[in-house]
Structures are given as structure tokens and as C-alpha cells.
Amino acid sequence: MSFRRISAMFLRHTYLYRHSFTRLIEIVYWPLLDLLLWGFVSLYITKLSAEGQSTPNFLGIFLGALILWDILFRSQQGISVSFLEEVWARNFLNLFVSPLTINEYLVSLMMVSLFKVVVVFLVSSLLAWLLYSFNLFIIGLYLLPFMINLIIFGWSIGILTTAFILRFGQQAEVLAWGIAFLFQPVSAVFYPLAVLPGFLQVAARFVPASYVFEGMRAVIMGQSFPAVYLLKALGLNLIYLFLVLLLFFHMFKAVRVKGLLAHMGE
């Protein structure tokens, strides 16, 4: 064992952090998100216990939240990771010297995203039923608008990710794996918005997913269908999707003018 060789390899990896903002952020990013998410879950359970309340179908609420969150995450991954596949294969130049347009390319990524969402949803729903006797379809036809809103929001995040990767290159790849989780604490996935502190409640009102998960809990707990929540979520989703598409087309045009497409993945 040579300490000199060990220290050389240690320095080789730690020096990467000196010139990589994304690597530095990642050290803090995941512990902070875990602390926020599970801290608020614990606060919610503690609050219910202190007030002597009981939550109907607590298991159903958590399993439903997990399955719906996975729909959002996979719809984002279906776009951003499929985009990265082309980056890793250094295939962008081949694609865009063909008649393929950027609009057609984006639509194809959305179709890949939908395929992944359907597969993940079916597998997750089946496993939840087999392992925990939980039937997500108790939500009924309301499940469809919930899923549509989460898919559109996932698309917006995925397209935003690809725009940043186009602009900043492979150093922004980490966003493909973690940017969706940035919205998780303020999406109220496993707890109601009322658990959040005031300033985070304000932020959550601008996150479409928060309305979806609030609505899911209401339906599972036997309350009336929250149509207003879903309309708010849809309105925000359409605005965000329009804005990220504008950003993506702007980034793509800038990269193409600078001749950087041929160097994607290098």
C-alpha cells in the first residue's frame, strides 16, 4: 500500500470540485432535500398525534403519492435521459443533418416519456395491489386529470433540463437526475400544504404538482373532487410549458449558430 498513490487518487477526484459548481452543489443538495422532505413528513405525523387526529387510509395516501410522484419523475426522465442518450452517443450532428426538425425531435421525446410513464404506472399499480392490497383505481376517473397534469409538468422540467444541457454542456448532466426532486418538498407529495412554513406555502402555490397531490389526498379521504385545484394546475402547466419551449428553442438556435452541436458529448 502506497500512501503517495492513494493521496494522488484522492487529490485527482477532489480537485474536480474546484472547477465544477454542479459537483459542489450536489454535496449539499441531496442531504438538504432529504432533510426537508422527511422532516415535513415527521412534522405532519407528529402534528396529527399531538392533536389526537387520525388520517383515514394513511397507507393509501402514501402509496398513491409514491405512484403519482413516479409518474412526474418518469415523464421528466423520459425527455432528459433520452436527450442524454444522444449526447453520450455523439449523435446530434447525425440527427440534425437529416430532415429531422427540432419540433419532431421534441415530440418523439414526449412519446418516449409517455411510454415510460405507462409502463411504470402499470407495474407500480400492480405491485401496490399485490403487496399491499392497495388499488390506486379507487380514485376513479379523477386519476386521469391527475396524471395528465403531472406528465405535462414533468415534460416542462425535462425540456428545461435539456435546454441547460444544450447551453452548459455535460457539466449540467446532473440536472437530469436531480432537478425534479427540487420541486418535491414544495409539491406536498406526502403531507398537506398546511405543514409547510408560510414562505414555502407561497412557493408551493406556483408548483402545479402541489395542487395534484392535495387533490389526490382529498379524493382518497372521501372528499369532493377538487376541480378548482386541477384547473389551477393545468393553467400553470400550460404557462410553464410555453415558457420552457421558448427557452429551449432559443438555446437550440444559439448552439446551432455557434456550431456547438457537433461537439455535444465531447
Side-chain angles (χ1 to χ4, degrees):
M1 298 285 287
S2 169
F3 178 75
R4 184 177 181 182
R5 290 192 292 269
I6 293 172
S7 61
M9 290 306 302
F10 171 78
L11 291 174
R12 176 258 185 276
H13 288 282
T14 54
Y15 281 163
L16 294 175
Y17 290 86
R18 296 173 58 186
H19 305 290
S20 177
F21 180 73
T22 54
R23 286 187 175 92
L24 287 173
I25 290 297
E26 193 177 13
I27 294 175
V28 180
Y29 183 82
W30 293 111
L32 177 61
L33 287 185
D34 286 340
L35 183 63
L36 288 174
L37 177 65
W38 300 112
F40 287 131
V41 170
S42 302
L43 186 62
Y44 175 43
I45 296 173
T46 301
K47 184 178 179 181
L48 289 176
S49 301
E51 296 176 356
Q53 301 180 25
S54 60
T55 303
N57 201 1
F58 208 36
L59 177 63
I61 289 174
F62 267 77
L63 289 177
L66 279 171
I67 294 172
L68 290 182
W69 171 257
D70 215 30
I71 289 173
L72 188 159
F73 182 64
R74 297 303 168 185
S75 62
Q76 176 255 321
Q77 291 269 290
I79 289 181
S80 55
V81 175
S82 299
F83 176 85
L84 281 173
E85 293 283 357
E86 307 296 349
V87 174
W88 296 329
R90 301 181 182 179
N91 196 37
F92 270 100
L93 187 60
N94 298 329
L95 288 177
F96 293 107
V97 296
S98 74
L100 180 72
T101 67
I102 188 61
N103 294 328
E104 293 167 343
Y105 178 63
L106 277 180
V107 171
S108 72
L109 294 184
M110 290 177 179
M111 291 178 65
V112 171
S113 173
L114 278 176
F115 171 75
K116 288 186 175 182
V117 165
V118 170
V119 172
V120 167
F121 171 73
L122 292 176
V123 171
S124 300
S125 300
L126 179 62
L127 288 176
W129 178 64
L130 291 174
L131 298 176
Y132 306 106
S133 300
F134 171 68
N135 182 11
L136 185 63
F137 292 97
I138 60 172
I139 298 177
L141 293 176
Y142 303 142
L143 184 61
L144 184 60
F146 289 153
M147 292 178 62
I148 290 173
N149 272 289
L150 291 175
I151 289 170
I152 297 174
F153 188 48
W155 283 350
S156 298
I157 299 173
I159 295 170
L160 179 66
T161 304
T162 60
F164 281 125
I165 296 173
L166 273 174
R167 173 61 181 83
F168 299 106
Q170 285 185 280
Q171 64 177 338
E173 282 185 15
V174 66
L175 296 176
W177 312 106
I179 193 170
F181 290 96
L182 180 65
F183 297 93
Q184 194 175 48
V186 288
S187 292
V189 180
F190 302 109
Y191 43 79
L193 285 177
V195 173
L196 298 174
F199 72 97
L200 285 181
Q201 289 187 35
V202 173
R205 293 191 182 99
F206 294 94
V207 178
S210 67
Y211 296 101
V212 173
F213 288 106
E214 285 281 90
M216 177 214 65
R217 275 186 293 272
V219 172
I220 290 180
M221 293 170 67
Q223 301 173 12
S224 59
F225 176 65
V228 175
Y229 281 1
L230 290 181
L231 288 175
K232 288 181 179 179
L234 182 60
L236 287 172
N237 271 325
L238 294 178
I239 292 171
Y240 293 156
L241 185 60
F242 175 74
L243 292 176
V244 297
L245 283 172
L246 286 180
L247 176 65
F248 179 83
F249 288 132
H250 172 74
M251 293 292 193
F252 181 79
K253 182 179 179 181
V255 169
R256 186 176 59 182
V257 168
K258 294 179 180 178
L260 298 178
L261 280 179
H263 303 288
M264 290 292 293
E266 294 182 359

